[in-house]
Amino acid sequence: MAPRTLSLYTILFAIVLALGACKKDDFANETMAQLAKVTDDIVAKVKESEDKKAGVAEAQKILDAAKGDLGPKMKEIMELRGFQLSEEAQGNVAKVMVDVTTKMASMEIDLMTETMSDKDLETAVEKLSNDHEKLVMGE
């Protein structure tokens, strides 16, 4: 009788863990979608702007507005353990983090010529990039 009871408890425990993982998967996927959208908005604002200083300032406002909601979520994502997410969700988190980091680095490269001759722009781009990186890392 004891081995059956142990098996039943093991099955129930596995079900509880699976249900918990699904909830974290949805949270992680929604948070990553939100991060990707904020990053896309930032990059688009800078690229579309003829006045790059103004574009970077507007992008900083977008990032600052997103920090309050997205910051705590990213902190929670960074604290999740492997068993709390499915492999698919873990892959999505990793992919989005690489994508958003690559987009921001690409934006910095695109602005390299302008930042070399404009220290104020360079400072603003560095702040934007550093703040974005802190957001991504859940800091």
Side-chain angles (χ1 to χ4, degrees), residues 33-43 62-63 66 70 132 135:
Q34 187 179 1
L35 176 64
K37 181 177 181 343
V38 167
T39 302
D40 288 344
D41 291 348
I42 289 168
V43 171
I62 292 169
L63 180 59
L70 193 53
H132 184 270
L135 177 67

Side-chain angles (χ1 to χ4, degrees), residues 13-39:
F13 183 67
I15 291 170
V16 168
L17 284 178
L19 290 174
C22 293
K23 289 181 185 175
K24 295 294 183 182
D25 281 4
D26 290 345
F27 169 75
N29 291 330
E30 289 168 9
T31 302
M32 290 298 103
Q34 187 179 1
L35 176 64
K37 181 177 181 343
V38 167
T39 302

Side-chain angles (χ1 to χ4, degrees), residues 102-115:
T102 301
K103 287 176 183 178
M104 290 297 289
S106 180
M107 180 195 71
E108 286 182 76
I109 290 168
D110 290 345
L111 294 172
M112 192 173 290
T113 302
E114 285 116 331
T115 58

Side-chain angles (χ1 to χ4, degrees), residues 10-138:
T10 304
I11 291 169
L12 290 174
F13 183 67
I15 291 170
V16 168
L17 284 178
L19 290 174
C22 293
K23 289 181 185 175
K24 295 294 183 182
D25 281 4
D26 290 345
F27 169 75
N29 291 330
E30 289 168 9
T31 302
M32 290 298 103
Q34 187 179 1
L35 176 64
K37 181 177 181 343
V38 167
T39 302
D40 288 344
D41 291 348
I42 289 168
V43 171
K45 184 59 75 176
V46 173
K47 284 189 178 187
E48 293 169 2
S49 178
E50 292 199 23
D51 178 356
K52 295 304 179 190
K53 269 191 224 179
V56 171
E58 289 297 315
Q60 185 71 51
K61 288 178 186 176
I62 292 169
L63 180 59
D64 290 344
K67 283 183 196 177
D69 180 46
L70 193 53
K73 291 178 182 178
M74 289 304 300
K75 182 174 174 39
E76 187 174 340
I77 293 288
M78 298 308 286
E79 292 172 352
L80 291 176
R81 301 294 170 241
F83 66 87
Q84 293 174 301
L85 292 174
S86 68
E87 285 186 30
E88 182 180 334
Q90 288 176 29
N92 183 49
V93 168
K95 178 188 177 305
V96 171
M97 291 181 81
V98 168
D99 287 349
V100 299
T101 302
T102 301
K103 287 176 183 178
M104 290 297 289
S106 180
M107 180 195 71
E108 286 182 76
I109 290 168
D110 290 345
L111 294 172
M112 192 173 290
T113 302
E114 285 116 331
T115 58
M116 290 176 71
S117 61
D118 186 339
K119 292 299 175 191
D120 291 337
L121 178 60
E122 179 182 22
T123 301
V125 170
E126 284 178 10
K127 179 175 178 7
L128 179 64
S129 295
N130 289 338
D131 288 356
H132 184 270
E133 182 178 343
K134 287 177 183 175
L135 177 67
V136 170
M137 300 309 294

